[in-house]
Amino acid sequence: MPTAGGGRTAAVESGWLSELPASHYHPRTGVLMLDAPQVRVTTRGLHLLHRRLGGTQPLRTHEQTALIQ
């Protein structure tokens, strides 16, 4: 997993994280303001975290969980 200080870019390039653009409209002026991107953990990133945190059982995906119910 990436380290602090520039690691987010490496994690995005490796597919562990994704960045989604974010914006809002200024309440008084109505001008579109760009915000910092939202950082999201990808499925690949979840699998990496699961393994690094000592997970031994397979990590279920959304599709596998839906089949059980």
Side-chain angles (χ1 to χ4, degrees), residues 22-41:
S23 62
H24 72 278
Y25 288 97
H26 191 279
R28 288 192 207 124
T29 65
V31 174
L32 182 65
M33 306 293 293
L34 298 178
D35 298 329
Q38 293 181 356
V39 179
R40 307 241 173 132
V41 180

Side-chain angles (χ1 to χ4, degrees), residues 1 41 45-57 59:
M1 206 67 186
V41 180
L46 286 176
H47 284 278
L48 177 69
L49 286 171
H50 177 69
R51 188 170 61 246
R52 290 205 172 185
L53 292 173
T56 56
Q57 297 292 321
L59 190 60

Side-chain angles (χ1 to χ4, degrees), residues 9-31:
T9 302
V12 170
E13 290 173 359
S14 297
W16 298 325
L17 298 176
S18 67
E19 291 182 331
L20 298 177
S23 62
H24 72 278
Y25 288 97
H26 191 279
R28 288 192 207 124
T29 65
V31 174

